[in-house]
Amino acid sequence: MPARTGTRLDPWFSSYAERAHGMRASEIRALFAVASRPEVVSLAGGMPNISGLPMDFLADMSARLLRDRGQEALQYGSGQGEVEMREHIVEVMRYDGVHAHPDDVVVTTGSQQALDLVTEIFIDPGDVVVAEAPSYVGALGVFRAYQADVVHVPMDGDGLIPDALDRTLTALKAAGRRVKMLYTVPNFHNPAGVSMAEERRPQVVEICRRHGVLILEDNPYGLLGFSGDPLPSLKSFDADGVVYLGSFSKTFAPGYRVGWAAAPHAVREKLVLASEAAILSPSRLSQLSISAYLAGYDWYGQVKQFRGEYETRRDAMMSALDEYLPELSWTVPEGGFYTWVTLPPGLDAQAMLPRAVTNLVAYVSGTAFYADGTGHDHMRLSFCYPTPERIREGVRRLAGVIRSEAELVEMFGTTRPADGREPLIDNPSPDQT
Amino acid sequence: MPARTGTRLDPWFSSYAERAHGMRASEIRALFAVASRPEVVSLAGGMPNISGLPMDFLADMSARLLRDRGQEALQYGSGQGEVEMREHIVEVMRYDGVHAHPDDVVVTTGSQQALDLVTEIFIDPGDVVVAEAPSYVGALGVFRAYQADVVHVPMDGDGLIPDALDRTLTALKAAGRRVKMLYTVPNFHNPAGVSMAEERRPQVVEICRRHGVLILEDNPYGLLGFSGDPLPSLKSFDADGVVYLGSFSKTFAPGYRVGWAAAPHAVREKLVLASEAAILSPSRLSQLSISAYLAGYDWYGQVKQFRGEYETRRDAMMSALDEYLPELSWTVPEGGFYTWVTLPPGLDAQAMLPRAVTNLVAYVSGTAFYADGTGHDHMRLSFCYPTPERIREGVRRLAGVIRSEAELVEMFGTTRPADGREPLIDNPSPDQT
């Protein structure tokens, strides 16, 4: 038989779609395989700490669910998600000030799928998504898969800067670009560790409305604030202008893979059709399990316990940074999983990473969170998963790596390349959510 | 604030991507909401009959899994799927003659997601997918979402006709079209109810290889044959030329949403990256649950029990058709869920459907299974879910509807429009899988 049209290594090389050419496993992926060894302290991961979950309760509940409702739980379900699950989701969203109807909600395979579906229905190749600088690596991966151009807007300690957003949208419009969405993580930002100030929220909503730009509000961490009530969501200011994404991965457990979108009616309809084409229906067993947990357990008490655990870990990281790396600057998160560290002049987080892993500590380079090749001067440190003792040890090791690197810089000049290189965004992995 | 760019009914009307314009809920969807009422006998559904599953075993197993390995099961997992699950999948595929390595397998949220991912990485708008006439409605929905042109190739009682495939591929090439894939369901075809004859399989593989066309072999029903061993899969003839899709939805239970793709190495790598962008990782809890079931229960014995149940239902449908509709013709499936019925001249399955539902019986119109607006002269009847008594009653009601319709045709001429109208493919729903 004659040969195929591809190469020897890949017989289908010349058959791929345009969008697939950007899909490749980066060097970072291989590095993270090393970083997952137990001797390495990973300050890279975004895995929630689920050791506090009531496993006996969950075991009994699962057994009861299969005995009492097994025929239902193990069958195909609704493409939009089970009514019972959507009713619970509406209750959960009330804590963020969102007053939605179960009919507005689409249940997805993690909120990542919701992000994928919204992008699928709105983005043609070359359309612009405006996003915070930096932005969640998994969102950048989705936007790239749909061939969007991401334009970053700066943040400060109070989150996205409204004036900068307004100027960016005006300039993009003047340049004739089609801007479809603002993607934002307003609470306990991944990776920046800051929240959008309360007074900025209606301003951001008004600016997007004025420019005809949909807001994609990604809120996996909103209930994980260490003090005070959750801030009102952007969606609470303009239900028709915002698609809100939520998840049970951080407030309960990621293994069920249940997230959701709450969307304006017409958008919701398209999301359901797109989701049915993609997966037929989300897992009914997962949805009924989570519904039983929410109905039968003090889930909000469990969230409060998670908050306490993450606050203890945040404190451990802050005090370790104070002690071992006082010359650096970082954000002090009031919730969530991450702090965003600025490196001393001349250091390159991406170039330094292999040396850090050799020294048994891992982080995510700032470059993962920019679509434009910048971010070498930052790193994301996560405090969600390791114990406080391990966090302290990880920061101690990191300080040693940074010191050695700084000495090299002093001797030989910067190790940091000019910003704007080919971006090295890897796909999201469990270590980078 | 000024108005948005859309309409009053949909503020985002003018913001959607090109691909989203085809996404709309059809009239069929509303009809199926009616058809799901208990008084209607649905011969439309593709829901497996899972009443024979060992619920007590599954309940105990789930409880034990959460008690013993809860921290693992409820955490994020691998984007490719758990090694343990992929090893089991390799064993399951051996029954189809596929000799794959766990590294070749990507676990997905049902095989529907695998179908979506393969299409995502291969199809640019305007590329051609060649598919059997008729084809699975859920695959047509995916191909449409990625703006592929579907070209149908005829089947006969022995499945896809190799000569017709060869001629079609040659003609498309001569016309300068980019043909990327052949999509085929070789075993117990949905909706046609036939299987590709054993001697045709290597011929189809050779033709596709010669034309440089990837084969997407969708095999959810392969283990559900009523007699004899499963026929060798297309992939067993050319591992590098075929992406094989499998599912636990029909051989175990759909509620876990676990399917898979077994792909050539380079394709597998892209599938994993695309899946991570879409959902991060498939449910670890679902994968560990299915692995525990496969390891701890006589799953193949359970498959044999399913076969027996479906054979009984097939027999009930065949004898009811013989008795009530002897003037019609239909396929006699040797496995799977469906028979494909040819209507008397002049009758239109799509136009007749509302009248059938009024008479408390539902089916899927043949038009759902063609991308080109044809199929009015066919209907798909499924025998998987209702009891034999209900199947019999459903066919009896259907016969009444067809008789009335035929009388109308006799009085007023055909109710069937010329083929080639705007196709009315709905998205897959649980009733149409």
Side-chain angles (χ1 to χ4, degrees), chain B residues 51-132:
Chain B
S51 60
L53 284 178
M55 286 300 169
D56 283 333
F57 174 88
L58 295 176
D60 292 343
M61 178 201 83
S62 290
R64 199 162 47 241
L65 177 63
L66 285 167
R67 281 206 174 81
D68 296 350
R69 299 173 68 187
Q71 290 300 316
E72 185 188 347
L74 296 186
Q75 192 51 270
Y76 285 111
S78 148
Q80 186 176 356
E82 303 306 302
V83 174
E84 172 175 355
M85 178 82 274
R86 290 187 275 121
E87 285 170 352
H88 279 295
I89 286 170
V90 164
E91 283 168 40
V92 171
M93 285 193 293
R94 285 220 190 97
Y95 288 89
D96 288 313
V98 176
H99 295 276
H101 187 276
D103 199 43
D104 303 333
V105 174
V106 183
V107 181
T108 51
T109 302
S111 63
Q112 186 75 23
Q113 195 208 350
L115 194 51
D116 185 78
L117 296 174
V118 173
T119 310
E120 178 185 353
I121 70 172
F122 280 101
I123 298 298
D124 285 314
D127 284 350
V128 175
V129 175
V130 170
E132 285 135 346

Side-chain angles (χ1 to χ4, degrees), chain A residues 134-188:
Chain A
S135 274
Y136 165 51
V137 59
L140 296 180
V142 172
F143 300 147
R144 186 182 46 177
Y146 288 96
Q147 299 164 272
D149 287 342
V150 173
V151 174
H152 288 289
V153 175
M155 312 170 79
D156 60 20
D158 286 331
L160 185 68
I161 302 170
D163 282 354
L165 174 66
D166 202 359
R167 278 195 306 275
T168 301
L169 292 177
T170 302
L172 286 165
K173 193 176 190 177
R177 304 299 305 272
R178 272 167 67 94
V179 184
K180 291 288 183 71
M181 306 195 286
L182 165 67
Y183 172 75
T184 176
V185 179
N187 297 315
F188 319 121

Side-chain angles (χ1 to χ4, degrees), chain B residues 283-421:
Chain B
S283 168
R284 210 180 202 181
L285 180 61
S286 284
Q287 292 176 77
L288 296 188
S289 298
I290 293 182
S291 297
Y293 170 74
L294 295 174
Y297 195 78
D298 175 17
W299 70 271
Y300 201 76
Q302 177 65 50
V303 166
K304 287 181 184 160
Q305 187 196 309
F306 284 142
R307 285 177 189 161
E309 285 168 15
Y310 292 129
E311 187 176 14
T312 303
R313 284 164 163 75
R314 189 268 322 254
D315 291 345
M317 178 161 279
M318 295 297 115
S319 71
L321 286 167
D322 276 333
E323 181 173 342
Y324 295 118
L325 285 162
E327 70 276 25
L328 266 55
S329 62
W330 56 85
T331 56
V332 181
E334 292 300 321
F337 287 7
Y338 311 107
T339 181
W340 184 239
V341 178
T342 308
L343 287 174
L347 264 65
D348 179 346
Q350 189 177 312
M352 190 173 71
L353 186 54
R355 294 188 275 277
V357 173
T358 308
N359 285 279
L360 305 181
V361 59
Y363 58 83
V364 183
S365 163
T367 48
F369 306 99
Y370 291 86
D372 57 7
T374 62
H376 294 271
D377 54 343
H378 282 89
M379 55 172 61
R380 188 191 79 178
L381 300 185
S382 66
F383 49 82
C384 45
Y385 196 73
T387 60
E389 296 68 35
R390 295 273 287 173
I391 289 172
R392 197 177 165 75
E393 173 59 18
V395 173
R396 196 187 64 78
R397 292 176 189 172
L398 189 60
V401 174
I402 290 175
R403 294 265 152 64
S404 314
E405 200 79 0
E407 282 169 23
L408 283 174
V409 168
E410 206 157 301
M411 285 191 287
F412 303 107
T414 181
T415 66
R416 187 188 302 167
D419 270 345
R421 287 194 305 187

Side-chain angles (χ1 to χ4, degrees), chain A residues 250-323:
Chain A
K250 273 77 181 186
T251 52
F252 178 32
Y256 294 99
R257 307 307 299 119
V258 175
W260 70 89
H265 183 78
V267 175
R268 188 276 286 159
E269 201 163 78
K270 283 188 191 294
L271 288 176
V272 172
L273 293 167
S275 186
E276 287 172 339
I279 62 160
L280 289 182
S281 60
S283 167
R284 210 180 202 179
L285 181 61
S286 285
Q287 293 177 76
L288 296 187
S289 297
I290 293 182
S291 297
Y293 169 74
L294 294 174
Y297 196 78
D298 176 17
W299 70 271
Y300 201 76
Q302 178 65 47
V303 166
K304 286 180 184 161
Q305 188 197 308
F306 283 142
R307 285 177 189 160
E309 284 167 16
Y310 292 129
E311 187 176 14
T312 303
R313 284 165 164 75
R314 188 270 320 256
D315 290 345
M317 178 161 279
M318 295 296 116
S319 71
L321 286 167
D322 276 332
E323 181 174 341

Side-chain angles (χ1 to χ4, degrees), chain B residues 123 126-132 148-154 160 162-183 207-208 210-214 372:
Chain B
I123 298 298
D127 284 350
V128 175
V129 175
V130 170
E132 285 135 346
D149 287 343
V150 174
V151 174
H152 289 289
V153 175
L160 185 68
D163 282 353
L165 173 66
D166 201 0
R167 278 195 305 275
T168 301
L169 293 177
T170 302
L172 286 165
K173 193 176 191 179
R177 303 300 304 274
R178 272 167 66 94
V179 183
K180 291 288 184 71
M181 305 195 286
L182 165 67
Y183 171 76
I207 291 165
C208 286
R210 183 152 39 81
H211 288 275
V213 168
L214 181 76
D372 57 7

